[in-house]
Amino acid sequence: AGYDIWVPRSYEHAKAVRDKYQSITGKEHLPNLVGVYREQHGTYPETITYAMNSDDAGAVVAGWTSVAGSPWFLREAETASSTYYNEPNGGKSASESYQAGSWISITGWDDTIGFQFNDDPRPSDQCVKDYLCSFNSVAHTFSVTHAFSAAQATQFSVNPSGGQAPTFNYKADENAEVHFLDTSMQSLSARLVAGANREPASYVNGVPVVASVARCGWELPAWILRGEAAFWLGAAAFDVRVLEADEVDEPKYYYPPGTLSNADQELVVHDCDGDPDGPTPRDEMVGTLFVSGDDDDTVNAEEIMLRGCRA
């Protein structure tokens, strides 16, 4: 949580911010820094064969990322051979190569592909006073579906619509099954959890969805596995919501209730990261639940989230 140097998420996002900045300031170009970088030094001159966004496997393999993780965007694929992928080329010269950890400098805009930029090293004594900051958080969007009788839905007018903050009350005399599908997480780059190869996210869990009973303060978070969280609600008055902005850093929503009593454990909210040596390796986040089938000899294995992580 908190402000950081801004990160364009897509062409549409970049253009919208640029257009808004122009309308407010009257300036042609945005301030020249964005939070896109890599941890390796440049080796000028480098031959570039990739676009610059988190959807391009070449950019990801080359180590480019952002202060906000994925998705991030600078440029779509170029088509004009005269300017084909001439940046980032590793720096300014053989003696002035890109410095690991440095943010990319924006130099202009092309309506067909996005930003023009370079990775030239910035003099150590040069300060930048003009830049954009933002929260850089991914806007989670949910679709919501219910499983209960048509009469129940009509009687209590439960609205199954989604959005960025789907919240509704459910008061019923029959059980209900509610599914939240985090559509933003399905399209988020799997590099957060599965290394450099882009593939469908296998266990990323975004902002937990929480069911609560107001009269007794009971809460149940359902962590999103493969983009979906499911609740089975008994016949009572329930409120179901996604976390508010002031709740997303509270560990109680990411750990099983019993874990919170362990004073020796560092209960911090980690970002989702598939590094096996990192804070959220898959085998510590996802477990296997064995369920007996209708046939006594049949056992079905289902994956379940053991705890949550923040995207």
Side-chain angles (χ1 to χ4, degrees):
Y3 284 98
D4 205 337
I5 193 76
W6 92 292
V7 174
R9 297 293 192 172
S10 65
Y11 173 90
E12 292 76 17
H13 178 218
K15 187 176 188 305
V17 172
R18 177 181 178 273
D19 291 349
K20 185 67 174 180
Y21 182 82
Q22 282 185 317
S23 69
I24 294 174
T25 67
K27 296 180 180 180
E28 178 64 21
H29 300 303
L30 285 164
N32 67 357
L33 292 179
V34 292
V36 175
Y37 68 98
R38 70 179 184 182
E39 296 292 355
Q40 299 87 15
H41 291 306
T43 53
Y44 180 90
E46 295 179 12
T47 301
I48 306 304
T49 58
Y50 50 82
M52 275 292 280
N53 59 69
S54 55
D55 285 341
D56 191 301
V60 174
V61 170
W64 294 105
T65 184
S66 84
V67 297
S70 295
W72 58 269
F73 171 88
L74 287 181
R75 176 188 64 203
E76 297 283 13
E78 295 186 45
T79 56
S81 59
S82 60
T83 59
Y84 193 77
Y85 299 133
N86 58 354
E87 290 285 354
N89 61 359
K92 186 176 182 180
S93 66
S95 60
E96 297 178 278
S97 294
Y98 170 79
Q99 299 300 299
S102 300
W103 293 331
I104 288 289
S105 296
I106 298 299
T107 60
W109 175 263
D110 184 327
D111 274 333
T112 61
I113 59 173
F115 286 116
Q116 298 165 341
F117 56 88
N118 68 54
D119 60 348
D120 295 352
R122 186 174 299 280
S124 58
D125 60 348
Q126 183 183 81
C127 296
V128 176
K129 298 181 180 179
D130 191 13
Y131 52 88
L132 289 180
C133 288
S134 74
F135 274 106
N136 285 334
S137 58
V138 175
H140 292 263
T141 53
F142 298 85
S143 63
V144 185
T145 57
H146 298 161
F148 45 73
S149 70
Q152 191 73 16
T154 302
Q155 181 180 359
F156 292 98
S157 300
V158 178
N159 181 9
S161 63
Q164 290 191 5
T167 301
F168 61 88
N169 295 315
Y170 175 74
K171 184 177 181 180
D173 55 12
E174 67 178 48
N175 291 342
E177 183 177 327
V178 182
H179 292 265
F180 283 76
L181 183 64
D182 189 339
T183 54
S184 58
M185 294 305 299
Q186 286 194 318
S187 61
L188 192 63
S189 171
R191 185 173 184 271
L192 286 171
V193 298
N197 294 325
R198 180 172 172 78
E199 58 188 43
S202 60
Y203 81 94
V204 171
N205 170 47
V207 179
V209 182
V210 180
S212 61
V213 179
R215 67 172 181 266
C216 61
W218 173 88
E219 287 188 326
L220 172 68
W223 304 312
I224 296 165
L225 177 61
R226 292 194 180 92
E228 186 169 2
F231 290 96
W232 287 263
L233 304 178
F238 283 91
D239 174 73
V240 183
R241 73 182 195 282
V242 295
L243 295 184
E244 299 292 341
D246 58 351
E247 298 177 301
V248 295
D249 287 323
E250 294 187 39
K252 68 179 182 180
Y253 293 114
Y254 298 85
Y255 290 86
T259 310
L260 295 174
S261 63
N262 182 359
D264 295 330
Q265 183 166 343
E266 183 186 13
L267 294 177
V268 296
V269 182
H270 294 291
D271 291 337
C272 299
D273 185 351
D275 182 353
D277 298 320
T280 60
R282 190 180 195 282
D283 58 1
E284 291 186 11
M285 305 298 292
V286 180
T288 303
L289 178 66
F290 296 97
V291 181
S292 297
D294 295 334
D295 185 339
D296 291 340
D297 295 330
T298 302
V299 177
N300 298 317
E302 298 178 3
E303 288 188 321
I304 58 171
M305 287 293 298
L306 301 177
R307 63 182 178 91
C309 57
R310 181 186 60 192

